Amino acid sequence: MAISENLQRTPKAQRWGNSLAVRLPAGLLANSHISEGTALEISQKDDGLFIRAIPEKNKTVKYANPYSEALILEGLTAETAHADEVFAPLSSEIDN
């Protein structure tokens, strides 16, 4: 019984530092809209993972770094930051 071409090129998880990496065969990538440098969305579905390219129109700093300074400060104003409030330090907080 001949082994199909797909089974011969089955990707395997391999150690990459403290993580695991998967090399995707070119045949799988042909119609996937994924190429080198493509931003990916990876989510858990049932008992596996779902990987897809993030559409160009949705590529923002929110996907690249969900904890970026720009995202944290988005919508922040002097009023919402309570910049007008002044707090006096406790005497225990001042180095005498």
Side-chain angles (χ1 to χ4, degrees), residues 1-92:
M1 181 174 171
I3 299 175
S4 74
E5 186 176 331
N6 286 340
L7 291 178
Q8 290 176 350
R9 297 181 185 190
T10 301
K12 294 184 179 175
Q14 297 177 335
R15 178 74 42 205
W16 190 5
N18 291 330
S19 303
L20 290 177
V22 176
R23 293 178 66 169
L24 303 173
L28 286 176
L29 297 173
N31 295 316
S32 69
H33 305 291
I34 296 173
S35 60
E36 185 175 346
T38 300
L40 301 175
E41 177 183 337
I42 303 173
S43 56
Q44 191 168 2
K45 302 282 184 178
D46 300 324
D47 62 344
L49 297 175
F50 178 73
I51 302 171
R52 72 179 188 115
I54 296 174
E56 285 290 327
K57 65 180 181 175
N58 292 334
K59 287 183 185 177
T60 66
V61 70
K62 293 177 186 178
Y63 286 103
N65 182 357
Y67 304 107
S68 70
E69 182 180 19
L71 184 58
I72 292 169
L73 298 177
E74 188 175 283
L76 188 66
T77 65
E79 185 176 299
T80 59
H82 304 283
D84 58 331
E85 297 177 16
V86 177
F87 295 94
L90 300 173
S91 59
S92 61

